[in-house]
Every structure is written in C-alpha cells, then in structure tokens.
Amino acid sequence: MRNVIILAAVLLVASCKKESQEPFGKTEATTETTTEITSTPENLGKELFEGKGACIACHRVETKLVGPSVQDMAKAYKEKNGDLVAFLKEEAQPIMDPSQYEIMKANFAITKAMSDDELKEIEAYIYSTMK
C-alpha cells in the first residue's frame, strides 16, 4: 500500500511539472504571425525551388553548378526585362546560357505542371536573392 501511495505522489508531481513547463501566454496572434512569415511568396518559392521543382539539383544561390546561379538568373532577367514565368512554362526563349537550354528542357515537365501562382512564387524567390 505504501508503494502505491509513493507511486501516486511521484506521478502527481511529474504531471504538475509538465504543465508548468508549457509556454505561458501563447496566443493565436503568435501562430498567425509565424504563418504569415513562412507563407510569403519568396518563402513559398524557396520551398518549391528546393522541393517540388527540384531546381536546387542544378542551381545554387551564389555559385554556378550545372546551371547558372540563382543570383545570376535574377540579375540577367531583371536587366533584360525577361519573363521567368514564361520561360518556366517554355513559352519564352532562354536569356541565360542557351547552351544549357537542352539540359533544362528535361525539367519543363515539372515546371509546366505547376500553377501560375507557384511559378510566380519561384520567380519571387529568385528575385529575392539579388544583392
């Protein structure tokens, strides 16, 4: 009987500790702010760039890999008033390194399946990397 009482006391103390360790004053506004920050077009575009789009396999932000760097793409398309979304839909000619265009063609199946909003988010991410 004594062991049961000790066990109950230990469980009671342990359960009280968990409650006191939870964050105090957590509000919905904090959750909404976090969601707003993570759901900017640039952040969503980065997620698509690195995930569903698989762009990260050939493009790095600052350095050329297989394809040009993301910063170089942003600069070239901005300077030449290019349309990245049209290019990703294969509706516009490449502005950068046409010799790499054949390699990029294999990826158009992925980008053509994306919505216009998703492509605009990727575009927003690319332009956000400009220094």
Side-chain angles (χ1 to χ4, degrees), residues 49 59 68-78 80-96 104 108 111 116 119-130:
F49 188 91
H59 301 281
S69 75
V70 178
Q71 290 176 341
D72 288 345
M73 286 188 288
K75 182 179 177 190
Y77 274 83
K78 183 96 170 164
K80 297 178 182 180
N81 228 11
D83 188 342
L84 272 164
V85 172
F87 174 69
L88 294 172
K89 290 174 149 184
E90 204 174 13
E91 296 173 354
Q93 293 299 312
I95 289 180
M96 308 229 16
M104 180 63 189
F108 285 127
T111 56
D116 285 349
L119 294 174
K120 288 176 185 173
E121 290 164 352
I122 289 175
E123 178 183 53
Y125 166 65
I126 289 171
Y127 285 129
S128 75
T129 65
M130 290 180 64

Side-chain angles (χ1 to χ4, degrees), residues 3-64:
N3 290 339
V4 172
I5 293 173
I6 292 173
L7 180 61
V10 170
L11 290 174
L12 181 64
V13 170
S15 67
C16 289
K17 247 186 179 178
K18 281 186 183 179
E19 287 178 22
S20 67
Q21 290 176 351
E22 288 181 13
F24 178 74
K26 188 174 183 180
T27 64
E28 289 297 316
T30 304
T31 304
E32 289 173 17
T33 304
T34 304
T35 302
E36 288 174 18
I37 292 169
T38 58
S39 63
T40 64
E42 294 82 6
N43 288 343
L44 293 171
K46 183 178 182 184
E47 287 176 21
L48 289 165
F49 188 91
E50 294 175 352
K52 181 178 177 181
C55 311
I56 196 77
C58 297
H59 301 281
R60 296 293 185 264
V61 173
E62 296 180 358
T63 57
K64 178 178 176 31

